[in-house]
Amino acid sequence: MVRVRFAPSPTGSLHLGGALTAVVNRRFADERGGSLVLRIDDTDPERVLPGAEAGILADLAWLGIPWDEGPVRQSERGAVYRAAAEALLAAGAASREADGAVRATAGGRPTLVRADGRATYSLASVVDDLELGVTHVIRGKDLQPTTPAQEAIARALGREPPEFLHHGLLVGQDGRKLSKRARSSSVAGLRERGLPAEAVRAYLEGLGLPRGDVRYDEARLRRHAVEALGALPAGELAARAGVEARFGPALRGAHDLVEARALALQIAAPPDPVDVGSPETLLRFRELRGAAAEQLDAEAAKAIVRELKAVGGDLRALRLALTGARRGPELWAVLVALPRAEALRRAGA
Ligand code: GLU
């Protein structure tokens, strides 16, 4: 039975590189009928950031990446690690330093237990992978240097280590690992910038299990965003943008949810009154709109536009009167977005 784990350190917010590791593990488990354990690597209290774990959990939920077990917190498993350290000492695979710290005798001699008695990641990760029955450790290539020592510690504990798979990293334009601190490439940062979760997920899924490093491609992510937003029903699109459903049709074509929201707010704000000319068109519009429902649906709105077109109405003047702009969403969608009284007012009533 395949068991994998995603093991973020709560030292900052989840960035795209970490999310890639999560996606890769989830898919690996799903394709094999296996399970995913969420482990929180919080052995180092000085580096733990308050709220980071909650943020990571929220980001995973937003991305639609569920886990089957956990979160298992390393900070709560000190006794398990101390017992393992004793076993390593007894086996001669570790030695105690003068200050009380325990270090492995091989594999680069990593510190396993600090002088204050707390286990380090080097020991905790191995013990957890064994104890939790992890069959495959799938993680970024940046952790590859720790693998030989982790395998050696597992064997010194009398166990066969899991299989290790290392994927290429997501790197920035400069070829360097996307920084955890770079807000723009954190999952929360992308969400704040209005990228829908489906797009981030699709982008990461599209990377597969990269062997080599991959350059972060924002243009590609944005293409996924346009596609994902285009697939949403109008009401859902409006809800995601945080605006009333009536704005939905007018938000079609927005490139992200921030832009969609701005578009809705722009339509909601009455334009400065200007003389747009074409009084007959505006008059006919007021007649048609006045006779129709308070809230137009797409069909009723399109019928009004068709009627105006049929009598040779000046639709550009009407758009200008209603929105204050010469371009924008389709006119029928603007009609759906505006309540009757507001549309009549803007059309000169
Ligand atoms: N907590 C480690 C990190 O976030 C990952 C440990 C691992 O996957 O073994 O870099």
Side-chain angles (χ1 to χ4, degrees):
M1 176 66 157
V2 163
R3 258 162 90 79
V4 294
R5 68 356 177 236
F6 176 53
S9 301
T11 53
S13 71
L14 185 65
H15 63 110
L16 217 42
L20 172 63
T21 304
V23 164
V24 161
N25 275 283
R26 181 71 264 174
R27 192 177 53 235
F28 190 89
D30 288 345
E31 287 174 353
R32 292 160 182 81
S35 52
L36 170 66
V37 182
L38 177 63
R39 187 179 88 193
I40 303 295
D41 285 3
D42 54 356
T43 50
D44 191 348
E46 288 86 52
R47 291 186 60 226
V48 168
L49 200 72
E53 181 192 315
I56 291 168
L57 266 54
D59 288 342
L60 291 173
W62 181 73
L63 284 169
I65 305 173
W67 53 93
D68 306 298
E69 251 174 75
V72 175
R73 292 183 195 89
Q74 293 192 321
S75 59
E76 295 168 0
R77 294 166 54 77
V80 182
Y81 307 141
R82 278 191 293 278
E86 291 305 324
L88 290 169
L89 286 166
S95 58
R96 201 179 290 279
E97 310 284 302
D99 62 1
V102 176
R103 295 178 92 179
T105 47
R109 303 209 69 230
T111 300
L112 304 178
V113 180
R114 297 181 188 89
D116 64 9
R118 280 183 291 116
T120 61
Y121 159 78
S122 303
L123 176 61
S125 186
V126 177
V127 172
D128 285 340
D129 288 339
L130 295 175
E131 293 263 323
L132 299 170
V134 169
T135 57
H136 299 77
V137 171
I138 309 171
R139 55 189 186 175
K141 256 178 19 188
D142 51 334
L143 288 157
Q144 196 154 18
T146 69
T147 304
Q150 294 187 352
E151 288 175 326
I153 294 167
R155 293 205 171 94
L157 286 167
R159 303 277 298 273
E160 200 42 42
E163 211 170 297
F164 285 83
L165 274 156
H166 295 95
H167 63 75
L169 305 179
L170 261 173
V171 296
Q173 287 312 310
D174 54 1
R176 290 170 53 185
K177 189 180 160 185
L178 285 184
S179 163
K180 293 189 188 192
R181 279 154 201 77
R183 193 73 182 150
S184 60
S185 60
S186 75
V187 172
L190 294 173
R191 179 170 58 233
E192 281 161 19
R193 281 159 59 214
L195 278 307
E198 293 92 334
V200 180
R201 184 75 192 265
Y203 173 70
L204 293 174
E205 294 284 0
L207 299 178
L209 200 154
R211 285 164 178 275
D213 292 351
V214 221
R215 207 154 281 221
Y216 169 52
D217 185 350
E218 172 125 351
R220 184 159 178 179
L221 175 58
R222 291 205 157 268
R223 284 196 292 278
H224 280 296
V226 169
E227 200 173 304
L229 294 180
L232 293 179
E236 170 74 10
L237 177 57
R240 297 270 196 107
V243 298
E244 286 172 61
R246 61 188 164 95
F247 290 104
L251 308 184
R252 283 276 168 246
H255 298 84
D256 58 59
L257 293 165
V258 169
E259 185 186 322
R261 183 176 171 78
L263 197 53
L265 296 179
Q266 195 185 316
I267 294 168
D272 294 333
V274 279
D275 182 8
V276 301
S278 302
E280 337 61 59
T281 298
L282 297 187
L283 174 62
R284 184 70 187 123
F285 170 72
R286 292 199 300 271
E287 286 168 4
L288 292 166
R289 185 65 190 91
E294 162 67 25
Q295 172 62 58
L296 294 177
D297 60 18
E299 278 325 301
K302 285 176 184 171
I304 291 177
V305 174
R306 251 195 326 269
E307 175 67 20
L308 288 170
K309 237 186 225 165
V311 298
D314 184 352
L315 297 181
R316 285 156 60 181
L318 178 59
R319 168 187 293 282
L320 194 56
L322 294 178
T323 67
R326 289 178 202 285
R327 295 152 59 100
E330 290 193 70
L331 194 51
W332 70 266
V334 172
L335 298 188
V336 172
L338 295 176
R340 185 169 54 200
E342 181 61 19
L344 293 177
R345 194 158 38 239
R346 293 185 190 185

